[in-house]
Amino acid sequence: MNTDKITLRAVEPRDAQLMYQWENDRRNWYVSGTTSPMPLFIIEQFTHPENQDVIVTKQLRLIIELNSNKQTIGYVDLFDVDLLNRKAGVGILIGDETQSNKGYALEALQLLKTYVTETLNMNQLFCNIHETNAKSLHLFNKAGFTQSGILKNWSFINGSFENVVVMQCFL
């Protein structure tokens, strides 16, 4: 799946080291809900093809790669994939900060929407975003997601509770 600028591709074993770096960057834990370091061994297991079947694992990670130089800049995740009710959660990370704010995340979300509609026959995607994360709220709004609720005092971060915005995109 690609546009003129990016390709979404399957995770490969060569991605493990970069995923390890981004998963263990504490600055990313705020949005992912991570609370402890991820061992490289677990990430390496995740990259094996037998652990990437969305029907079996109910999740899917796709690498965001620049077409111009094949550089990996981030990934987009499907989680809580519910094929019966045709919905899934979505998250995205542009791990290479030098490639942030260039429109790649929006393109990746648009490609993902096409994939889940045409291949997985999904009806909707959803995401949960901290109310203070203006950048992500803007991105998902631009990608066609709308706010469907607020989870009050949902996350305890840095000594205080934060609300979380629930967003949905009907496909």
Side-chain angles (χ1 to χ4, degrees), residues 6-11 15 18-19 22-23 28 61-66 70-77 91-97 99-100 104-105 108:
I6 65 163
T7 294
L8 291 186
R9 64 166 175 79
V11 172
D15 299 313
L18 196 50
M19 288 170 52
W22 290 339
E23 291 290 334
N28 297 329
R61 175 165 287 177
L62 296 169
I63 297 296
I64 305 168
E65 185 176 84
L66 295 179
K70 302 299 182 203
Q71 176 189 356
T72 298
I73 62 167
Y75 38 78
V76 62
D77 291 327
I92 192 164
L93 173 73
I94 300 297
D96 182 342
E97 293 176 5
Q99 300 301 328
S100 198
Y104 300 133

Side-chain angles (χ1 to χ4, degrees), residues 22-132:
W22 290 339
E23 291 290 334
N24 288 300
D25 184 338
R26 291 181 62 114
R27 293 172 295 175
N28 297 329
W29 290 9
Y30 164 75
V31 294
S32 68
T34 302
T35 58
S36 61
M38 178 81 64
L40 181 58
F41 173 77
I42 298 295
I43 292 172
E44 288 172 338
Q45 295 304 307
F46 179 79
T47 67
H48 293 178
E50 66 271 12
N51 296 324
Q52 295 182 47
D53 185 339
V54 67
I55 294 169
V56 173
T57 64
K58 308 293 185 218
Q59 64 181 8
L60 177 68
R61 175 165 287 177
L62 296 169
I63 297 296
I64 305 168
E65 185 176 84
L66 295 179
N67 292 338
S68 61
N69 60 7
K70 302 299 182 203
Q71 176 189 356
T72 298
I73 62 167
Y75 38 78
V76 62
D77 291 327
L78 288 178
F79 60 90
D80 293 341
V81 174
D82 181 345
L83 296 174
L84 177 64
N85 294 299
R86 299 171 51 203
K87 63 184 176 187
V90 63
I92 192 164
L93 173 73
I94 300 297
D96 182 342
E97 293 176 5
T98 66
Q99 300 301 328
S100 198
N101 298 315
K102 295 184 177 181
Y104 300 133
L106 181 60
E107 285 191 39
L109 286 174
Q110 299 298 7
L111 283 173
L112 184 71
K113 285 168 50 176
T114 300
Y115 169 74
V116 301
T117 302
E118 295 177 1
T119 305
L120 299 179
N121 197 29
M122 291 285 170
N123 176 59
Q124 68 174 293
L125 293 172
F126 65 88
C127 61
N128 299 322
I129 302 172
H130 291 100
E131 201 170 50
T132 57

